[in-house]
């Protein structure tokens, strides 16, 4: 369960370029729910996602995830929280281009010093699931956009997180790949994970397995 | 650990091993001539090494001069550090006073 | 020990291949230079200390108007009367400036070339011809002296110019063994009578008097007594010599260290700051790792391993190269810095003197500084907000 309580986020507070990205957001997302955040560019979707993932802290208000007040946690605890609970699929994938697919996928597990055999098994599973087994040792810079995204998804899933967050996942994909991504989301939904997708791609708005579409405008929630 | 990491660790240990072997080798093959040198010094009785003989206030510095260059006081023995390192006249032009 | 983290650190080094290589190269050269200098100075120091115990326990000299003058031979009796003085031996020695080569020879007089020295001479002199020596009109010279004389067309004999302008012709009986070159290079050894004649010295005066003390513990008290007895004297004890040596090398090593460390590290820091500061690529990488749930100290650990591997490998390689350079190749070029004032360059082997203290010093002066130089900028980036990667 994710609860946003009266969240306001102001960038560059008290400076001339002050910008209020989110205004008094109240939102509740239940476990296992699939929520699509919709809205024009600049409406605050990414900002909201980063608050949920505890990548940044709200200016006012409180973020509670699974009864943990993540917005009040110190840095090292939010890192642990992210590692254990959140799989983040970034808009620009944020892969390290000089590493191989395998090395990128295991990045989130490294700090917890995993068991090598189990880890390899898990990676192979994911590679197979996303049909990129042959690219295991390829460097990211030699992969196509779709392959890169699948590596990014595999990386988001490696720690088996309960919450999956995707920011504009289909922005850089053609229609065929976008449909493939939707299939992947469907499967993740069946695995009872909480999924939050920020997008302005109409493909997502009429899917039968989407529980809610939330529209945002100028940092506020319009309707849900 | 990945392969590179393993290679690197191996490299590290190889280097450490080589280092140990090198020092050990040098230690065992080192020539010291301790007795000959001591025999010589006993006869001559002068301190210091013959690595500075261009000026008389440098060779046997503690014996030779209380008045040497830059000595800080008559009670101090010569220890001016540049005496080993400063080379002001070329071998082919040893005269201290330049003639035009 | 998280071996995934170590693996990640090492593969990061490889990913930045050229830069890592450059760093290792600079670091290795730096360590090589510093440790070479330390090894050379250690060796020379070792060389000095080897012979320290054979030097006279107390040397008494005379000062007049703040300068050295010759000391009266008559003082010997008074010195011998002091308790604890076992023997008092007058010495005659001095410098002879050989103008043609611009070289100072150290001339040392001994009683005479007689049988008492036979054993010693067999040890330190090349092919001794005792018959020739006992004629007492010959000298034993260091290799350097021999070489300079040869270069100036003196074969087997040398004409000393006496103070009155007359020439004194003395035969070269032999040279000292090369093993003693570092001590004997510029030495000329001959009977005292000849030295007195060459220097034009008064028969009842000597250069200094050396004392043998029965109990080494008493050396300081006896030195004090002598000073009271002859206020115009300069009394040099064995431990004074040790202190003098120590001072020279503390100064020298210290100067070199300070100089080299300052210059090398400013250079290094500038290079590092300019060339590698933190590139935007590296900053992004740290941001990604944080967003993926790495703690700040996970990031720093990875950076630490990277820096440690680089600096440790450079350190080992640098020290090994320096050992090889100094003790196997005998430090060409660098050795000249230490024997820079020498006209008669002695040919000598640097004795192997391995000082762990020196290595520790070098280790702790370089590696932590380098690691800090890597860690601090990374720490600054790593403690920024993680949402930077969203943009
Ligand atoms: N780090 C930041 N610093 C300053 N302003 C920001 C920052 N991140 C986002 N913003 C501003 O906040 C607003 C919301 O941005 P964002 O959440 O990225 O919108 P969306 O993802 O819906 O396009 C925008 O006006 C953007 O310029
Ligand atoms: Mg966005």
């Amino acid at each position: 369960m994710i609860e946003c309580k009266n969240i306001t986020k102001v960038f560059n507070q008290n400076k001339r370029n002050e910008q209020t990205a989110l205004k008094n957001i109240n939102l509740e997302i239940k476990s296992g729910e699939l929520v699509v955040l919709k809205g024009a560019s600049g409406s605050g979707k990414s900002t909201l996602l980063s608050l949920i993932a505890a990548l940044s802290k709200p200016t006012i208000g409180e973020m509670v995830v699974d009864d943990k007040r993540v917005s009040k946690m110190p840095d090292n605890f939010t890192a642990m929280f992210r590692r254990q609970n959140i799989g983040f699929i970034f808009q620009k994938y944020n892969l390290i281009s000089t590493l191989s697919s395998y090395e990128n996928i295991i990045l989130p597990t490294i700090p917890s010093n995993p068991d090598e055999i189990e880890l390899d098994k898990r990676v192979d599973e994911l590679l197979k699931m996303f049909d990129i087994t042959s690219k295991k040792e390829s460097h990211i810079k030699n992969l196509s956009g779709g392959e890169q995204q699948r590596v990014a998804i595999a990386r988001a899933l490696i720690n088996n997180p309960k919450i999956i967050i995707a920011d504009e996942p289909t922005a850089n994909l053609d229609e065929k790949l976008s449909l493939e991504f939707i299939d992947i989301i469907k499967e993740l939904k069946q695995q009872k994970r909480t999924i939050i997708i920020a997008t302005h791609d109409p493909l997502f708005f009429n899917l039968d397995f989407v529980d809610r579409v939330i529209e945002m405008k100028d940092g506020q929630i319009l309707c849900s | 650990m990945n392969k590179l990491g393993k290679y690197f660790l191996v490299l590290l240990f190889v280097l450490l091993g080589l280092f140990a072997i090198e020092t050990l080798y040098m230690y065992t093959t080192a020539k010291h001539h301790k007795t000959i040198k001591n025999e010589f010094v006993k006869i001559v009785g002068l301190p210091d090494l013959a690595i500075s003989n261009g000026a008389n206030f440098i060779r046997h510095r503690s014996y030779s001069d209380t008045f040497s260059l830059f000595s800080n006081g008559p009670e101090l023995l010569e220890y001016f550090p540049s005496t080993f390192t400063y080379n002001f006249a070329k071998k082919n032009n040893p005269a201290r006073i330049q003639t035009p | 020990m998280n071996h995934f983290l170590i693996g990640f650190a090492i593969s990061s080094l490889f990913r930045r291949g050229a830069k890592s290589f450059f760093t290792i190269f600079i670091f290795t050269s730096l360590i090589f230079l510093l440790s070479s200098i330390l090894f050379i100075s250690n060796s020379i120091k070792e060389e000095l200390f080897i012979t320290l115990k054979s030097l006279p326990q107390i040397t008494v000299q005379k000062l007049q108007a703040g300068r050295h003058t010759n000391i009266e031979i008559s003082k010997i009796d008074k010195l011998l009367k002091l308790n604890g003085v076992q023997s008092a031996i007058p010495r005659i020695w001095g410098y002879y400036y050989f103008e043609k080569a611009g070289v100072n020879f150290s001339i040392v007089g001994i009683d005479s070339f007689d049988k008492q020295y036979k054993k010693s001479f067999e040890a330190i002199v090349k092919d001794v011809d005792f018959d020739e020596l006992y004629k007492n009109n010959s000298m034993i010279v260091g290799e350097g002296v021999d070489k300079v004389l040869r270069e100036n067309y003196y074969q087997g004999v040398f004409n000393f110019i006496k103070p009155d302008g007359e020439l004194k012709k003395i035969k070269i009986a032999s040279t000292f063994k090369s093993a003693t070159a570092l001590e004997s290079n510029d030495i000329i050894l001959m009977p005292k009578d000849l030295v007195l004649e060459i220097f034009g010295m008064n028969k009842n005066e000597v250069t200094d008097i050396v004392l043998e003390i029965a109990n080494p513990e008493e050396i300081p008290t006896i030195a004090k007594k002598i000073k009271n007895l002859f206020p115009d004297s300069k009394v040099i004890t064995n431990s004074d010599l040790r202190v003098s040596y120590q001072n020279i090398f503390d100064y020298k090593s210290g100067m070199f260290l300070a100089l080299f460390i300052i210059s090398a590290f400013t250079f290094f820091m500038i290079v590092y700051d300019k060339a590698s500061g933190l590139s935007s690529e590296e900053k992004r990488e740290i941001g990604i790792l944080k967003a993926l749930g790495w703690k700040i100290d996970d990031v720093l650990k990875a950076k630490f391993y990277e820096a440690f591997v680089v600096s440790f490998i450079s350190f080992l390689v640098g020290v090994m190269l320096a050992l090889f350079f100094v003790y196997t190749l005998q430090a060409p070029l660098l050795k000249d810095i230490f024997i820079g004032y020498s006209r008669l360059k002695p040919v000598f082997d640097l004795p192997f003197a391995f000082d762990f203290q020196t290595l520790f010093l070098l280790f702790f002066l370089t590696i932590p500084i380098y690691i800090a130089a890597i860690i601090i900028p990374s720490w600054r980036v790593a403690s920024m907000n993680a949402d930077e990667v969203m943009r």
Side-chain angles (χ1 to χ4, degrees):
Chain A
M1 174 115 123
I2 300 165
E3 297 162 82
C4 310
K5 297 180 180 169
N6 291 321
I7 285 192
T8 298
K9 176 74 179 175
V10 182
F11 287 108
N12 304 320
Q13 200 167 18
N14 299 330
K15 288 191 196 140
R16 270 175 56 193
N17 55 352
E18 181 175 293
Q19 175 115 28
T20 308
L22 294 175
K23 276 175 229 153
N24 205 14
I25 300 271
N26 279 293
L27 182 66
E28 234 175 66
I29 298 170
K30 293 187 196 65
S31 294
E33 220 180 349
L34 196 171
V35 175
V36 171
L37 285 179
K38 145 183 174 180
S41 183
S43 56
K45 305 185 294 293
S46 301
T47 307
L48 185 57
L49 293 186
S50 77
L51 287 174
I52 294 173
L55 286 170
S56 61
K57 297 206 155 58
T59 315
I60 305 171
E62 199 173 63
M63 181 69 67
V64 182
V65 178
D66 288 341
D67 299 325
K68 280 186 280 243
R69 296 168 14 157
V70 297
S71 53
K72 298 282 192 287
M73 284 183 185
D75 236 33
N76 274 344
F77 287 90
T78 60
M80 286 280 275
F81 162 77
R82 272 200 296 283
R83 202 156 77 216
Q84 288 163 357
N85 299 297
I86 309 271
F88 209 122
I89 302 161
F90 299 94
Q91 181 171 2
K92 292 171 198 146
Y93 309 146
N94 277 337
L95 298 167
I96 295 178
S97 61
T98 44
L99 289 178
S100 68
S101 310
Y102 171 79
E103 289 167 316
N104 264 291
I105 292 171
I106 67 165
L107 281 180
T109 68
I110 288 179
S112 45
N113 198 10
D115 179 77
E116 192 156 2
I117 299 165
E118 256 171 53
L119 179 67
D120 280 353
K121 228 167 79 190
R122 174 94 182 117
V123 174
D124 286 341
E125 228 170 76
L126 287 168
L127 288 169
K128 209 165 140 199
M129 180 170 158
F130 298 118
D131 205 14
I132 40 176
T133 308
S134 60
K135 307 288 180 191
K136 183 174 175 182
E137 300 298 336
S138 311
H139 277 188
I140 293 302
K141 52 180 187 264
N142 302 329
L143 297 185
S144 72
E147 286 163 345
Q148 286 188 16
Q149 192 191 40
R150 278 176 286 168
V151 172
I153 300 170
R155 186 180 66 181
L157 293 177
I158 185 77
N159 275 333
N160 210 0
K162 292 191 288 283
I163 302 165
I164 308 243
I165 296 173
D167 192 7
E168 314 264 8
T170 56
N172 303 314
L173 301 181
D174 60 21
E175 175 139 351
K176 184 171 159 285
L177 289 171
S178 302
L179 289 173
E180 273 179 32
F181 178 78
I182 288 173
D183 283 342
I184 291 169
I185 291 296
K186 192 173 173 181
E187 196 167 330
L188 294 176
K189 162 80 179 160
Q190 278 161 7
Q191 291 167 2
K192 299 270 189 299
R193 295 179 209 263
T194 312
I195 303 169
I196 306 163
I197 302 169
T199 185
H200 50 243
D201 188 339
L203 270 178
F204 285 89
F205 302 151
N206 302 312
L207 296 171
D208 51 0
F209 56 91
V210 171
D211 297 310
R212 260 197 293 174
V213 176
I214 297 169
E215 188 167 355
M216 292 186 66
K217 195 176 177 216
D218 298 332
Q220 283 173 313
I221 292 175
L222 284 188
C223 61
S224 45
Chain B
M1 193 175 320
N2 53 17
K3 263 192 198 139
L4 265 180
K6 277 175 194 151
Y7 290 152
F8 243 73
L9 277 202
V10 171
L11 176 74
L12 216 67
F13 281 110
V14 168
L15 280 178
L16 267 174
L18 274 178
F19 179 68
I21 291 170
E22 192 180 17
T23 31
L24 217 74
Y25 171 79
M26 291 190 161
Y27 185 75
T28 49
T29 56
K31 294 173 279 191
H32 273 291
H33 307 300
K34 240 186 190 159
T35 39
I36 299 186
K37 282 169 196 280
N38 274 308
E39 198 66 44
F40 176 83
V41 169
K42 216 176 269 168
I43 285 196
V44 173
L46 293 177
D48 296 342
L49 303 175
I51 54 181
S52 37
N53 42 40
N56 57 5
F57 53 82
I58 288 174
R59 182 80 158 115
H60 319 306
R61 56 175 80 62
S62 29
Y63 274 9
S64 53
D65 211 346
T66 50
F67 219 65
S68 64
L69 206 54
F70 305 120
S71 174
N72 292 329
E75 285 186 1
L76 295 177
L77 302 175
E78 225 308 280
Y79 59 78
F80 186 59
S82 78
T83 48
F84 270 158
T85 60
Y86 177 51
N87 187 4
F88 71 86
K90 289 196 192 95
K91 195 170 182 173
N92 56 11
N93 184 18
R96 304 288 149 76
I97 301 159
Q98 302 258 321
T99 43
Chain C
M1 208 66 155
N2 184 342
H3 64 256
F4 279 98
L5 208 54
I6 299 175
F8 174 78
I10 289 171
S11 69
S12 297
L13 281 181
F14 265 80
R15 285 190 285 134
R16 288 189 284 279
K19 223 175 80 179
S20 307
F21 182 80
F22 179 68
T23 316
I24 290 182
F25 176 76
I26 302 244
F27 209 118
T28 306
S29 329
L30 177 72
I31 296 283
F32 167 74
L33 210 66
L34 283 173
S35 47
S36 295
I37 284 163
L38 287 174
F39 285 152
I40 295 174
S41 83
N42 267 347
S43 286
I44 294 182
K45 194 161 150 184
E46 169 90 2
E47 191 76 45
L48 280 170
F49 281 110
I50 277 179
T51 54
L52 192 62
K53 68 171 195 291
S54 300
L55 287 169
Q57 285 161 312
I58 291 184
T59 310
V60 185
Q61 300 180 327
K62 184 182 169 182
L63 296 181
Q64 189 167 41
R67 289 183 200 158
H68 273 210
T69 46
N70 298 327
I71 188 165
E72 302 84 11
I73 222 165
S74 55
K75 281 183 177 165
I76 285 188
D77 292 334
K78 286 183 188 164
L79 287 172
L80 273 172
K81 278 191 192 116
L82 289 171
N83 279 339
V85 177
Q86 212 165 39
S87 70
I89 299 160
R91 295 198 308 180
I92 295 172
W93 63 274
Y95 302 111
Y96 181 87
Y97 187 60
F98 180 39
E99 237 177 272
K100 231 167 143 188
V103 167
N104 273 307
F105 296 145
S106 299
I107 301 186
V108 179
I110 55 172
D111 283 339
S112 62
F113 288 129
D114 60 19
K115 301 231 159 56
Q116 72 178 96
Y117 292 115
K118 187 168 178 193
K119 241 186 145 171
S120 305
F121 281 161
E122 271 170 350
I124 62 174
V125 177
K126 277 188 211 159
D127 325 311
V128 238
D129 182 353
F130 285 105
D131 293 336
E132 197 57 47
L133 274 184
Y134 294 156
K135 284 181 198 153
N136 274 333
N137 192 20
S138 56
M139 57 188 178
I140 304 174
V141 301
E143 277 187 331
V145 177
D146 192 46
K147 187 162 162 273
V148 166
L149 293 186
R150 266 174 217 283
E151 279 165 6
N152 290 284
Y153 312 108
Y154 287 102
Q155 288 274 10
V157 286
F158 182 64
N159 289 322
F160 288 94
I161 305 171
K162 293 198 282 187
D164 57 12
E166 267 180 58
L167 294 182
K168 178 75 185 170
K169 190 171 179 176
I170 297 180
K171 275 176 101 171
I172 299 173
S174 184
T175 53
F176 294 111
K177 282 188 179 157
S178 349
T180 63
L182 201 45
E183 287 83 9
S184 72
N185 203 46
D186 64 344
I187 297 266
I188 295 176
L189 193 66
M190 60 173 87
K192 270 181 187 161
D193 297 341
L194 293 181
V195 185
L196 282 174
E197 197 183 336
I198 289 168
F199 286 152
M201 276 168 71
N202 202 327
K203 287 258 194 246
N204 50 28
E205 283 179 355
V206 292
T207 314
D208 51 24
I209 299 168
V210 298
L211 306 183
E212 210 178 304
I213 310 299
N215 179 5
E217 305 273 304
E218 287 177 26
I219 292 179
T221 21
I222 293 178
K224 215 181 258 167
K225 278 186 200 159
I226 297 171
K227 189 74 194 164
N228 286 336
L229 189 60
F230 305 119
D232 65 343
S233 64
K234 179 189 183 194
V235 184
I236 300 159
T237 65
N238 208 332
S239 65
D240 285 340
L241 294 180
R242 186 201 311 278
V243 171
S244 176
Y245 285 171
Q246 194 65 54
N247 275 342
I248 295 163
F249 281 94
D250 286 352
Y251 255 105
K252 280 167 80 66
S253 322
M255 283 234 309
F256 269 114
L257 258 182
L259 258 169
F260 270 87
I261 283 176
I262 289 166
S263 58
F265 269 100
T266 8
F267 169 70
F268 195 83
M269 288 298 182
I270 289 167
V271 168
Y272 184 76
D273 218 57
K274 284 254 158 33
S276 60
L278 272 196
S279 64
S280 60
E281 187 59 30
E282 280 168 301
K283 279 184 195 154
R284 199 180 79 99
E285 221 176 279
I286 292 177
I288 292 174
L289 295 176
K290 277 203 73 185
L292 292 178
W294 286 42
K295 288 186 242 166
I296 293 176
D297 46 301
D298 294 324
V299 175
L300 295 189
K301 262 185 221 158
K303 288 284 168 194
F304 172 83
Y305 292 140
E306 257 182 62
F308 183 78
V309 163
V310 163
S311 50
F312 195 62
I313 285 185
S314 309
F315 182 81
L316 279 183
V317 173
V319 170
M320 276 161 68
L321 285 178
L323 278 175
F324 179 76
F325 175 76
V326 172
Y327 295 121
T328 306
L329 301 182
Q330 290 296 317
L333 298 177
L334 265 193
K335 199 154 92 173
D336 287 351
I337 296 180
F338 281 83
I339 55 178
Y341 218 127
S342 187
R343 287 296 150 58
L344 303 169
K345 296 247 149 88
V347 189
F348 63 95
D349 278 345
L350 289 165
F352 180 69
F354 194 75
D355 184 6
F356 274 103
Q357 218 181 330
T358 312
L359 277 192
F360 275 121
L361 181 74
L362 200 58
F363 189 91
F364 287 113
L365 277 173
T366 52
I367 291 188
I369 294 178
Y370 177 74
I371 291 179
I374 297 284
I375 295 274
I376 290 167
S378 305
W379 171 75
R380 257 196 249 120
V381 172
S383 46
M384 284 187 330
N385 264 340
D387 68 335
E388 293 288 314
V389 287
M390 302 281 294
R391 320 237 288 144

